[in-house]
Amino acid sequence: MANAQNWEPGSWRKLKALQQPTWDKEDLKKIINELEQVPPLVFGGEIRSLRSSLANVEKGEGFILQAGDCAESFEAFNSPAIREKLRVILQMAVVLTYQSGVPTVKIGRIAGQFAKPRSEDLETRDDIALPSYRGDAVNDIAFTEKARVPKAKRLLRGYNQSAATLNLLRAFTKGGFADLSRVHKWNKEFVATTPEGHRFEEIANNISKALEFMRACGIDPSNEHKLHEVDFYTSHEALLLDYEEALTRKDSTTGDYYDCSAHLVWIGERTRQIKNAHVEFMRGINNPVGIKLGPSATGQEAVELCEVLNPNREPGKIVLVLRAGADSIREVAPKIIEEVTKSGHIVTWMSDPMHGNTFKHASGYKTRHFDDILKEIEGFFESCSKTGVWPGGVHLELTGDDVTECLGGLDDLANLESRYETSCDPRLNGRQGLDLAFRVSELLAARK
Ligand code: PEP
Ligand code: CO
């Protein structure tokens, strides 16, 4: 890896930065000075490990499960919520790996996913227009004038919550919770009594038998650390450039710059303009970078982004995340994939089946239907087969809790109001997540 030409952590400042809050400049400066001194949240060595896993995914030797909240919240911050989110992601990863035989790279939308791009600057309710909610690191979701004023000290709270969340994630993934011999214990009650839960139980039984078999053969599974620990990476949309710049550090072992706010960061559909600030910032960091590509994205745009963000064509660097919508993916994806392939760039191809399938339900809630989500993933797999590239992963919005935000699934969820709790987009609940993992594992097994 190498540092980019004519780049520094602040070189984005000369360019147009969309979706930035109207901060109080003095407050912002004070907070940023503080954030420049805080310890990094993640480390260069960890980011390099993720890059090498992504390089395997590019070769068709892995599959990424990236999942978590649309927007993390300061209010819903507690240990059970973090544990349940991790649990459902680990369960889904076991299903994917067991059913397909493909290693799963696990990445949370967690420990830093606090900033949201918005299509409208203002939100109007009953003739009152207020600045839109832009994530807990910016303003408060309450619909009052005071709540919606951007406050820079929220950035510091976001950093602190990220640090505490990461601390717990590291403890859970390295300290026994993620041990494969505990797969039965992950089967949460509400899932355990359901068809998805039963299917998971079967896999858990088979894994236990395999571990027993190894023991009987004289191989001691307790000596194999890979069976007891999990590599779990963090990610978020790198939207607030002042914050991301403040967390960017030069790695002492290599001299390379890393954005130490998360292992993987991505550029959203609304901020991926080639000449603007977000692309400039991302071109200099050595983290893997995701780029969301909506229904209007072209192959040429994708190739230009690859050229700017990865001129040296390094492996494990670029993740192109297609999110065209269930009805458009079969038309949009093959054109983009073909053009990027023709350019010679090797990338990870990923599907975000959530953001192209959001609609307003008759009850007034913003929702997504499980069937549309599945249909987009199927279209993505089909597009990858047709163009001869490897389907490298899925990017999902979900939670471990029993919320009612997305319609459908095995239970055919239809009533949204009983537990609609998201601060932004609707998330799959634990059951829907596990159900989806079984469906995706079938597609993956067939492709393999
Ligand atoms: C998101 O991932 O929550 C998001 C806003 O996505 P996109 O940029 O694809 O709309
Ligand atoms: Co979202």
Side-chain angles (χ1 to χ4, degrees), residues 18 72 88 103 120-121 139 152 162-163 189 202 214 229 246 263 274 279 285 317 339 365 371 380 415:
L18 297 180
E72 285 177 272
V88 71
E120 307 292 337
D121 283 338
N139 57 7
S162 301
E189 275 164 43
E202 251 177 68
M214 279 164 71
E229 293 182 1
H263 300 106
I274 196 93
V279 172
I285 56 174
K317 173 70 193 176
E339 208 145 327
Y365 290 104
D371 294 347
F380 167 74
N415 176 13

Side-chain angles (χ1 to χ4, degrees), residues 401-422:
D401 300 329
D402 195 10
V403 298
T404 58
E405 297 169 8
C406 289
L407 300 164
L410 276 180
D411 208 20
D412 201 16
L413 196 154
N415 176 13
L416 295 173
E417 66 214 10
S418 69
R419 272 196 79 180
Y420 193 95
E421 297 173 4
T422 181

Side-chain angles (χ1 to χ4, degrees), residues 32 35-38 241-249:
I32 291 300
L35 283 169
E36 279 168 353
Q37 308 302 322
V38 297
L241 292 173
D242 293 286
Y243 177 84
E244 301 301 333
E245 178 190 344
L247 268 292
T248 296
R249 308 290 156 79

Side-chain angles (χ1 to χ4, degrees), residues 70 109 116-117 266 268-270 292 323 355 397 425:
C70 179
R109 278 177 71 113
K116 300 310 300 170
W266 76 85
E269 162 72 359
R270 292 163 190 78
K292 296 282 205 89
R323 51 160 305 312
H355 289 89
E397 288 183 343
D425 292 336

Side-chain angles (χ1 to χ4, degrees), residues 95-128:
V95 168
L96 287 165
T97 304
Y98 188 85
Q99 304 276 88
S100 70
V102 177
T104 310
V105 182
K106 294 160 274 294
I107 308 178
R109 278 177 71 113
I110 196 167
Q113 176 54 23
F114 291 108
K116 300 310 300 170
R118 302 316 300 255
S119 304
E120 307 292 337
D121 283 338
L122 296 176
E123 178 184 349
T124 307
R125 289 190 205 170
D126 301 329
D127 290 344
I128 300 172

